Amino acid sequence: MHVTVEVVGEETHDVSVDDDGTYADLVRAVDLSPHEVSVLVDGSPVPEDQPVEVDRVKVLRLIKGGAP
């Protein structure tokens, strides 16, 4: 399955996941940790262990780098 992953305020990635892939798998595929983001489907958060059932998600980073 191909999924477009938009990291809000950053980049958009096209990611392939297995048919039984989870939202955590998508997050890891774009080099982020499931512990530092929320995955949104149609504007609502989804559990990271839920199977992917859509072809487009938004990833909202909860933690971003600090001041220099």
Side-chain angles (χ1 to χ4, degrees):
M1 169 183 254
H2 292 287
V3 181
T4 300
V5 179
E6 177 189 345
V7 181
V8 176
E10 297 180 29
E11 302 175 328
T12 299
H13 306 268
D14 290 318
V15 176
S16 292
V17 292
D18 294 332
D19 289 338
D20 60 349
T22 65
Y23 291 104
D25 295 330
L26 286 180
V27 170
R28 287 187 200 96
V30 297
D31 294 325
L32 295 171
S33 167
H35 302 291
E36 67 178 310
V37 302
S38 284
V39 179
L40 306 174
V41 173
D42 295 327
S44 297
V46 293
E48 67 184 51
D49 60 350
Q50 181 175 330
V52 177
E53 298 176 345
V54 296
D55 61 0
R56 185 170 188 86
V57 301
K58 288 187 178 186
V59 173
L60 181 62
R61 290 184 76 165
L62 304 175
I63 303 169
K64 197 159 180 172

